[in-house]
Amino acid sequence: MAPDTQEIGQPVQPGPGRSKISREQPCHFFPQGPTIMRAVTFAAPWDLRTVSVPDPVVLAPTDVIVRVEAAAICGSDLHVYRGVERGLDAGTVLGHEFTGTVVSAGYAVVRARPGTRVAAPFTVNCGRCWACRRGLTARCVESQVFGWVQQGCGLHGGQAELVRVPHADATLVPIDESIPPELALLAGDVFSTGLHAVEQGGVQPGDAVAILGLGPVGQCAVLAAVAAGARVVYAIDRVAHRLEQAQRHGATPVELEADVLATIRHGTEGRGVDVVIEAVGYPDATQLAWQIVRPGGTISAPGVHNEPAFALTPGQLYDKNLTYRAGRAPARAYLERSLALLNREGWRLEGLFSHHLSLAEAPRGYEIFNERRENCTKVLLRME
Ligand SMILES: [Zn+2]
Ligand SMILES: [Zn+2]
């Protein structure tokens, strides 16, 4: 959903444009199941806990319950952890990246029947509305993000032994037993977000592309840009092991502290790159993107920005005839293609999950991911 951010930003209330829950979603209480599962829950910023909570139950005929095989901690989960995004109810089960097997289903579910192993996008979608029919599943009128419950409304997340999935047939994608959980997790969010960044940027074969920020989304965008036929992919970051990783994926590494502008001018006959993928989420990165994009080029920003105003002026856009494209990736619309691409190229991302931890160790996982200790690039949570 969001790139791994570079700095800690200022706390900002989620605005109406970044609502996690569609306004058309009914609000309801969460009936409690008869048995108790383990889950990672939000208590307060900097205070997450693995606790016992009631099992989720099927609430609607189109719901299923998935027994989670593995979940992941996302860069955007850190926004909640740091208190940058606020409004989450205490007790919310966190996490929007998970994969597992359906264990119970409402009577209207046809495809995602019990026993089906599934990949899940980070948002729910109905599959029928205007947005869904056009592949803009992230803006479905019944969209909800897993792991966001606010004032009693919303959807609990997948960093748990069980998770309820509404609109299961439209949302979930059945997957083969041979697909490693790591690839299913990447397809559900960060890889689809990287692919979306490349596609909304309009990357064409022969293009020069720059990717700012080499967190998991940036790394996936490198892979997707190379697969799209980019002539050169400049991968820009200040962390050495991230630059090395991007180089292994086929990028030209550029240290942020070095003369980025001179390097890119040198490689593009002085023009700048055709497309910049800004996978940082901070205004400084938007400004750097503006400096290195060519006239008539595109800046593609797939991540959440929390600053109160747009970092560029209308004059800056005008002076370069720029296209700026932003927005949440419609991960469901990309899921099958992401899985196919990951099946071929996913081995290159081996090592992206630097830490495999148990659900009980999740609070420590958030801590080391946030502080980037132990060269942490992404945390996978296995169920005990
Ligand atoms: Zn995510
Ligand atoms: Zn829809």
Side-chain angles (χ1 to χ4, degrees), residues 2-5 72-79 81-82 97 190 215-216 242 352 354-355 357 362-379:
D4 181 13
T5 50
I73 303 177
C74 181
S76 61
D77 291 330
L78 295 178
H79 297 185
Y81 178 63
R82 295 166 177 163
E97 299 179 5
V190 295
R242 291 174 158 199
L352 191 64
S354 55
H355 289 68
L357 302 176
R364 185 171 78 83
Y366 273 83
E367 216 177 286
I368 55 178
F369 187 33
N370 179 55
E371 294 169 13
R372 299 224 197 115
R373 292 206 315 259
E374 305 169 22
N375 280 348
C376 183
T377 48
K378 196 159 175 70
V379 179

